[in-house]
Amino acid sequence: MEGLKVSDANLVAYVNPSKSTKVPQAVLRELSSLLFKFNETFDGVVLAYDVQIQDKVAKILPGLHPYFCVRLEAKLLLFSPKPNMLLEGKVVKLTQTSIHVIVLGFSSAVMTDEDIREEFRYKTKHGEEQYASRFHKRHVIKVGTTIRFSVKSFDEEILHISGSLVPTNTGSIGWLAKHMEDVSRIDRRSTKRGRESEGESVIVEHSEAYSLHSDQIRTSKKRKIKDES
């Protein structure tokens, strides 16, 4: 899935003197406060971390309430979705005008009716709501289905994603895994045919131009012969 990245970071943790005997625990507590929040410095939501303390001896900062300054090296797993990236999520709710999804267990995403391609139509089957493809009977989206969708925008404050199911490479992950090659092959064929038809029209235009040019040459030759006679 796109939108995930690992970042190396040099950090500084400020530890209260009362935690001087438990510095590692205090550092981990500080890092834990970063989890599942968007961080502008790292341009993403911190999902996990792996940290190493660089200084064996912490430095004490002067002041009314002195703190220990501990330098760290960390690897951070970040979630940073950008427009047009492909994400995956589990469907938790369906309505006639929207599909609601949870991504990575914490971020919500929604596809409204204008962002659901016309191939899918909403219906109720055996009391269960679903979006079913008009062209592929087994391509069905319902509650519990894991889908792939394209990112339109990401609200960093509430960690909410506006998504789209318009691209042909989006939909049910299970169905796409089995049939995406066929869909891509069909798209390539249609593109190739379009290019070939364009090439044919160019060839025809050139042949017509050549025949017209030949006629003009023959006409000019006839005129030249008459003038000489």
Side-chain angles (χ1 to χ4, degrees):
M1 182 177 74
E2 297 178 350
L4 294 174
K5 64 180 181 180
V6 176
S7 178
D8 294 322
N10 294 315
L11 306 175
V12 176
Y14 299 101
V15 181
N16 192 291
S18 63
K19 306 294 183 182
S20 60
T21 58
K22 298 180 180 180
V23 172
Q25 293 90 331
V27 168
L28 293 178
R29 188 176 295 108
E30 287 295 320
L31 291 174
S32 296
S33 66
L34 300 176
L35 292 176
F36 303 107
K37 298 176 183 177
F38 185 85
N39 190 296
E40 292 184 359
T41 302
F42 305 123
D43 188 31
V45 180
V46 181
L47 301 182
Y49 56 82
D50 181 20
V51 64
Q52 292 183 348
I53 297 177
Q54 291 298 103
D55 297 332
K56 293 183 178 180
V57 179
K59 298 178 181 179
I60 300 177
L61 300 179
L64 295 176
H65 302 284
Y67 279 78
F68 290 105
C69 175
V70 183
R71 298 187 180 278
L72 316 168
E73 276 190 359
K75 283 188 177 294
L76 305 176
L77 177 61
L78 302 171
F79 178 57
S80 183
K82 305 295 182 183
N84 300 320
M85 281 186 175
L86 294 176
L87 303 184
E88 298 173 8
K90 187 175 183 180
V91 177
V92 294
K93 181 182 178 181
L94 294 176
T95 70
Q96 291 185 355
T97 58
S98 62
I99 298 176
H100 299 259
V101 176
I102 290 294
V103 180
L104 297 174
F106 76 93
S107 181
S108 62
V110 63
M111 274 70 55
T112 58
D113 53 353
E114 64 180 7
D115 297 313
I116 302 173
R117 63 180 181 272
E118 295 181 358
E119 171 187 347
F120 292 104
R121 60 180 178 180
Y122 174 87
K123 65 179 183 179
T124 302
K125 186 175 182 180
H126 304 303
E128 186 178 44
E129 296 176 304
Q130 61 180 226
Y131 276 87
S133 170
R134 299 181 182 181
F135 310 130
H136 310 284
K137 293 182 179 180
R138 295 189 177 182
H139 194 179
V140 177
I141 297 174
K142 54 188 178 181
V143 173
T145 300
T146 300
I147 67 171
R148 178 185 299 145
F149 63 93
S150 175
V151 176
K152 289 184 64 181
S153 62
F154 178 53
D155 190 319
E156 300 167 353
E157 292 186 3
I158 60 176
L159 306 182
H160 178 79
I161 302 167
S162 175
S164 171
L165 285 175
V166 173
T168 56
N169 59 344
T170 60
S172 168
I173 287 290
W175 189 90
L176 290 172
K178 296 179 180 178
H179 301 89
M180 200 58 224
E181 288 186 6
D182 295 335
V183 173
S184 299
R185 194 178 299 114
I186 292 172
D187 290 342
R188 287 196 296 269
R189 285 177 182 175
S190 61
T191 302
K192 185 178 180 181
R193 288 173 184 172
R195 290 176 180 174
E196 288 176 351
S197 63
E198 288 177 0
E200 289 173 359
S201 64
V202 171
I203 292 171
V204 171
E205 289 174 1
H206 281 296
S207 63
E208 289 177 352
Y210 176 77
S211 62
L212 178 60
H213 184 63
S214 300
D215 292 341
Q216 290 175 346
I217 292 173
R218 285 195 293 271
T219 302
S220 62
K221 284 183 177 180
K222 288 180 181 180
R223 290 178 179 176
K224 187 176 182 181
I225 292 170
K226 288 182 179 180
D227 292 339
E228 290 177 352
S229 60

